[in-house]
Amino acid sequence: MADGLTTASSAVPSPARPSRGAASWLRVRYRLVPWWLRITVVYLLARVVTTVFMLGFARVQAANSFTVQDPGYLSFASIWDGAWYRVIAATGYPSTLPVDAAGHVTENAWAFMPAYPFLVRGLTALTGVSFELAAVSVSFVAGWGAALVFRRLMGRFLDPARATFATVLFCVAPVSVVFQVAYAEAMGLFLLLVALLLLVQRRFWAMLPVVLLLGMTRPTGLAFALLMGLFVLAWWIRPAWVRTDLPLTVGRAVPPVTVAVVSGLVGLAWPAIAWIVTGVPRAYTDTELAWRSSYIGWGDLLPFAPWVQGFGFWFHQPAGTVLLVVVLVGFAAFVLQPGARRIGLELRLWGIAYLVYLLAVFFPQSSTWRILLPIAPLLGIVALPHSRVYRVAVVVVALALQWVWLYYCWWVNGYDWTPP
């Protein structure tokens, strides 16, 4: 029978056989729970696990330049870049760049975008809470919002089960720790996902304020401009690629091209502001170069050279170049595989645009894993297999890698050369 009960000819029901009726009832009850509430529960459970990891490392944390020995959670969650955001929230940006004895610009606050620390500063002024509490709270709430938007975005392309599993991976990812520390990544990722969702919905004009704020939160303006350029190009070549039969006309091109131009301008705005305030034309780029000087020394920023230099530094040549080619070919195969089409052209183009941007300007080191967080929409590809064994294994591996990331990148162990 449909409800899983025994038939009339059965004298005794089988106690070992699970009730399909009960299972069906549970499925119905599950479906009655709003999707946003299910995602909220997943997000909170993931954060509980991360908190346990964080507190475990805090218990064995020795005194260092950031914290005292055995710091509390908020203090431990506000180290590394959080210390820079604290400085910015308190005193703003320097009008004079710090330099070493040789005249090279050293590490300073201009490497960090202003939206996140200024928002935290506003919250501390309004509420009187500490920087640490305000900063971690902003990240926590932004991460929650990002998880909800991520599920909406995945739901545009995947069935509910796959979209939800992709969101589970988003919540337990190895670098999902940034959803509860004093870093701008959670806020930037929330804005990025909103912008991508609006792109998928073709709400171009609504994207403009989001893109403006995104460009002042994380340095993604040029990458997003490239995405919009690739999107317009794809629409011009073959409208079916963007799920429409409408050809690209001048009138239809104006909104996405406007978004591309605005995003590009906001991507250049922060270097221009740093120039105006300090009087140094290369204030921003020289500041960024200071962070890689301990690896490869001082030099000019040559587009697309950093990754060759970085892989050469870490793996020596020619092994570094060979490995870099393998990584790039592997990424291309991952994004261009037939199954990847399930997540839509826009998300795949974003992954490509962001990687091209990183190849042009970023030097690969221990922060690379965190810097790769914006390609999180590609988790939709990872979520495609339906196997329960596969899904459990992926979640377990993600949590294990989260612990590994905390061990090698977050926890300060003496002379630490692996900043997060």
Side-chain angles (χ1 to χ4, degrees):
M1 295 178 64
D3 61 0
L5 300 176
T6 58
T7 63
S9 60
S10 301
V12 179
S14 172
R17 190 172 185 175
S19 171
R20 289 179 295 171
S24 299
W25 179 83
L26 288 174
R27 285 195 294 269
V28 170
R29 298 289 293 179
Y30 172 79
R31 291 168 184 167
L32 289 176
V33 178
W35 69 269
W36 59 267
L37 183 55
R38 296 199 297 267
I39 298 304
T40 298
V41 171
V42 169
Y43 180 77
L44 292 177
L45 289 176
R47 302 285 62 80
V48 168
V49 174
T50 300
T51 300
V52 171
F53 288 166
M54 289 278 284
L55 290 176
F57 280 103
R59 289 290 301 274
V60 296
Q61 177 63 70
N64 56 80
S65 60
F66 297 117
T67 67
V68 298
Q69 182 177 349
D70 187 14
Y73 180 86
L74 291 176
S75 178
F76 190 57
S78 302
I79 62 177
W80 298 109
D81 288 1
W84 285 108
Y85 286 124
R86 182 190 292 107
V87 170
I88 296 168
T91 62
Y93 293 88
S95 58
T96 302
L97 295 175
V99 296
D100 62 13
H104 298 124
V105 174
T106 58
E107 298 173 1
N108 65 86
W110 283 106
F112 304 92
M113 306 289 109
Y116 173 74
F118 284 178
L119 173 60
V120 172
R121 178 177 181 173
L123 288 176
T124 58
L126 286 173
T127 64
V129 301
S130 66
F131 165 84
E132 291 82 1
L133 178 57
V136 173
S137 297
V138 168
S139 293
F140 182 84
V141 173
W144 175 35
L148 295 176
V149 178
F150 186 84
R151 174 58 179 79
R152 286 285 304 275
L153 186 61
M154 291 294 104
R156 300 284 298 193
F157 303 103
L158 305 177
D159 61 80
R162 287 189 172 103
T164 297
F165 179 59
T167 310
V168 170
L169 297 181
F170 177 83
C171 293
V172 301
V175 293
S176 62
V177 180
V178 298
F179 295 153
Q180 55 189 87
V181 299
Y183 269 50
E185 267 69 18
M187 179 176 169
L189 191 57
F190 169 72
L191 294 168
L192 170 65
L193 292 171
V194 170
L196 289 174
L197 181 60
L198 293 173
L199 172 59
V200 171
Q201 296 172 340
R202 306 294 183 261
R203 297 169 61 186
F204 299 111
W205 296 121
M207 294 172 65
L208 290 178
V210 180
V211 167
L212 284 170
L213 187 55
L214 172 62
M216 289 291 107
T217 304
R218 292 293 300 156
T220 53
L222 296 179
F224 205 87
L226 178 58
L227 162 66
M228 297 306 298
L230 293 174
F231 174 80
V232 171
L233 179 62
W235 190 355
W236 177 63
I237 295 174
R238 183 170 297 180
W241 286 350
V242 296
R243 304 185 308 283
T244 181
D245 296 327
L246 300 174
L248 182 66
T249 62
V250 173
R252 296 190 184 106
V254 168
V257 169
T258 302
V259 174
V261 171
V262 170
S263 185
L265 290 175
V266 76
L268 298 173
W270 189 241
I273 293 171
W275 177 3
I276 293 171
V277 173
T278 65
V280 179
R282 302 197 319 179
Y284 175 72
T285 54
D286 284 352
T287 296
E288 290 286 0
L289 290 172
W291 259 267
R292 69 187 65 171
S293 63
S294 58
Y295 297 97
I296 58 175
W298 298 96
D300 294 329
L301 175 61
L302 301 176
F304 297 100
W307 280 68
V308 177
Q309 296 170 332
F311 272 68
F313 174 83
W314 293 110
F315 306 104
H316 306 292
Q317 297 293 7
T321 299
V322 172
L323 183 58
L324 176 59
V325 171
V326 170
V327 169
L328 295 179
V329 171
F331 179 83
F334 175 70
V335 175
L336 301 177
Q337 63 173 299
R341 298 174 186 173
R342 297 285 297 276
I343 68 167
L345 178 69
E346 298 88 348
L347 303 188
R348 287 178 291 146
L349 286 180
W350 165 247
I352 294 170
Y354 188 67
L355 182 63
V356 170
Y357 168 75
L358 291 185
L359 289 172
V361 302
F362 181 72
F363 178 82
Q365 28 87 12
S366 55
S367 296
T368 303
W369 312 112
R370 171 178 58 87
I371 298 298
L372 288 174
L373 186 60
I375 64 173
L378 299 183
L379 287 172
I381 304 174
V382 182
L384 291 177
H386 265 307
S387 168
R388 290 185 179 180
V389 174
Y390 167 82
R391 292 183 172 185
V392 171
V394 172
V395 170
V396 170
V397 168
L399 290 174
L401 290 177
Q402 188 177 131
W403 188 93
V404 170
W405 186 82
L406 282 168
Y407 179 85
Y408 283 103
C409 295
W410 192 266
W411 179 48
V412 183
N413 184 16
Y415 175 69
D416 203 313
W417 52 275
T418 57

